[in-house]
């Protein structure tokens, strides 16, 4: 990489940050093309870690506009590994923060896979600044290989109807930004990109949302990402897991309509207390016990 290439990227990043800065008299959102150029500099390595961090922080403080988010999704997806299309599958990317309580998603997904419903799960490695246990850690603790060649992974999905993709393998540029995201210690546009990469062009997606007001911005983003049926869930710890101790919302969005359902567990005969916090090893042990019956 030449010094002039890096310098160009640095100048561009500075200009975009200034455009979004609250200290400037004409603060504005970036256009789709401007955001696309910024994302392209990040994925190509033209921007340094410090420049990436400054840009992501400025974007976060301003608030990501729809066109900015779309641009980042399009650029990072163009750098993702290519897998065969499995449209009738369900896409699920758990919270980047991980979970501190039992991950209901995993045993439920295994149950659905056992009756032939294909599911694609994906996620990255854990952040030391975020205290939860991510899906990748749980699967590795259960002895599941999380880095599998593309052809082998595709064959596994066809045979067992469920598969997990590591974000670092699925989209290496996101993996290279891990240090930047960890040092920032807050959610950025990259968290959204990671959730909607849609590696096998699934038409169905389930997304955990926290807080509830975050549902609305995700609707056009999910549609832009190719999903025809989107389930937005105000679940436990920002996950897609519904609590049994309190009411929660599910929003179902399709090209033909938008429906909001209030899920009251007591109407289904469920009564429970909030789930206790569990360590990684405790979560793995409980999953083993469930799988064993």
């Amino acid at each position: 990489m030449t010094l002039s290439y890096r310098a160009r990227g640095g100048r561009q990043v500075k200009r975009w940050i200034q455009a979004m800065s609250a200290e400037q008299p004409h603060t504005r959102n970036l256009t789709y093309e401007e955001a696309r150029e910024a994302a392209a500099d990040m994925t190509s390595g033209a921007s340094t870690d410090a420049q990436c961090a400054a840009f992501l922080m400025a974007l976060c403080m301003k608030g990501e506009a729809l066109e900015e988010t779309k641009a980042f999704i399009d650029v990072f997806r163009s750098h993702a590994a290519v897998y065969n299309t499995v449209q009738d599958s369900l896409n699920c990317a758990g919270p980047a923060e991980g979970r501190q309580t039992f991950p209901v998603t995993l045993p439920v997904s295994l149950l659905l896979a056992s009756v032939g419903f294909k599911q694609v799960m994906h996620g990255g490695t854990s952040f030391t600044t975020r205290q939860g246990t991510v899906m990748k850690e749980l699967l590795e603790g259960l002895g599941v290989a999380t880095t599998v060649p593309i052809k082998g992974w595709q064959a596994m999905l066809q045979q067992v109807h469920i598969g997990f993709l590591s974000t670092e393998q699925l989209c290496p540029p996101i993996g290279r930004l891990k240090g930047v995201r960890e040092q920032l210690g807050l959610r950025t546009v990259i968290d959204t990109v990671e959730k909607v990469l849609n590696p096998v062009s699934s038409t169905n997606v389930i997304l955990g949302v926290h807080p509830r007001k975050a549902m609305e911005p995700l609707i056009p983003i999910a549609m832009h990402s190719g999903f025809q049926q989107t389930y937005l869930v105000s679940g436990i710890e920002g996950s897609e897991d519904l609590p049994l101790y309190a009411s929660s919302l599910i929003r179902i969005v399709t090209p033909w309509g938008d429906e909001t359902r209030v899920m009251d567990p007591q109407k289904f005969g469920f009564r429970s207390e909030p789930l206790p916090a569990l360590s990684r090893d405790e979560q793995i042990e409980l999953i083993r016990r469930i799988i064993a019956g």
Side-chain angles (χ1 to χ4, degrees):
M1 184 179 301
T2 66
L3 182 60
S4 59
Y5 183 46
R6 278 259 177 162
R8 183 197 68 81
R11 288 194 297 270
Q12 291 282 64
V13 168
K14 183 178 180 180
R15 178 167 63 86
W16 292 317
I17 292 172
Q18 288 175 335
M20 296 186 292
S21 174
E23 297 178 358
Q24 299 299 317
H26 303 293
T27 303
R28 63 175 177 82
N29 295 327
L30 300 180
T31 65
Y32 175 89
E33 288 303 326
E34 288 173 331
R36 188 179 179 89
E37 286 184 37
D41 277 353
M42 287 189 186
T43 54
S44 67
S47 302
T48 66
D49 284 355
Q51 290 164 349
C52 290
F55 178 87
L56 291 174
M57 176 66 81
L59 189 63
C60 181
M61 293 179 66
K62 176 187 72 66
E64 297 95 349
L66 177 59
E67 290 304 302
E68 294 166 340
T69 304
K70 284 182 177 179
F72 266 74
I73 290 170
D74 292 346
V75 171
F76 277 85
R77 184 176 290 150
S78 71
H79 287 265
V82 178
Y83 290 81
N84 289 341
T85 297
V86 188
Q87 289 188 329
D88 60 345
S89 59
L90 174 66
N91 186 281
C92 176
E97 294 85 352
R99 295 172 173 85
Q100 297 187 61
T101 56
F102 178 67
V104 182
T105 296
L106 185 51
V108 170
S109 296
L110 291 172
L111 178 63
L112 292 174
S114 71
V115 295
F117 188 72
K118 291 185 176 65
Q119 292 152 96
V120 178
M121 309 174 80
H122 53 95
T125 54
S126 62
F127 292 83
T128 57
T129 54
R130 305 178 186 182
Q131 301 301 313
T133 303
V134 296
M135 187 63 68
K136 186 169 186 276
E137 289 179 307
L138 294 175
L139 292 173
E140 289 173 345
L142 291 165
V144 177
T146 57
T147 303
V148 180
I150 292 177
K151 287 186 178 180
W153 186 90
Q154 290 173 164
M156 178 180 67
L157 181 65
Q158 291 299 319
Q159 292 172 6
V160 300
H161 311 299
I162 189 169
F164 175 85
L165 288 168
S166 165
T167 300
E168 290 77 13
Q169 180 183 8
L170 175 58
C171 187
I174 292 182
R176 291 195 294 270
L177 285 172
K178 185 188 176 214
V180 170
R181 298 168 69 194
E182 189 161 23
Q183 290 180 42
L184 286 175
L186 46 79
R187 294 182 184 182
T188 69
V189 67
I190 305 301
D191 289 66
T192 302
V193 172
E194 189 173 10
K195 280 180 174 290
V196 296
L197 280 172
N198 199 7
V200 301
S201 301
S202 305
T203 52
N204 310 291
V205 65
I206 183 166
L207 297 170
V209 178
H210 179 77
R212 289 181 181 181
K213 65 181 181 180
M215 284 186 176
E216 200 69 37
L218 280 173
I219 293 173
I221 291 171
M223 295 180 69
H224 176 76
S225 303
F227 299 110
Q228 294 294 303
Q229 192 150 260
T230 300
Y231 300 88
L232 301 172
V233 181
S234 60
I236 302 170
E237 299 183 273
S239 75
E240 60 283 348
D241 296 342
L242 290 174
L244 294 182
Y245 54 84
S247 296
S248 54
L249 281 181
I250 296 181
R251 192 163 177 179
I252 306 171
V253 184
T254 71
W256 308 277
D258 183 348
E259 177 185 357
T260 299
R261 298 180 185 177
V262 178
M263 305 300 292
D264 182 355
Q266 293 191 16
K267 289 185 178 180
F268 297 92
F270 295 112
R271 295 177 184 274
S272 176
E273 297 296 323
L275 296 177
L278 298 174
S279 67
R280 168 188 173 276
D281 291 342
E282 289 171 331
Q283 291 184 40
I284 291 171
E285 177 58 26
L286 193 49
I287 294 170
R288 288 188 187 278
R289 288 170 54 193
I290 290 174
I291 293 174

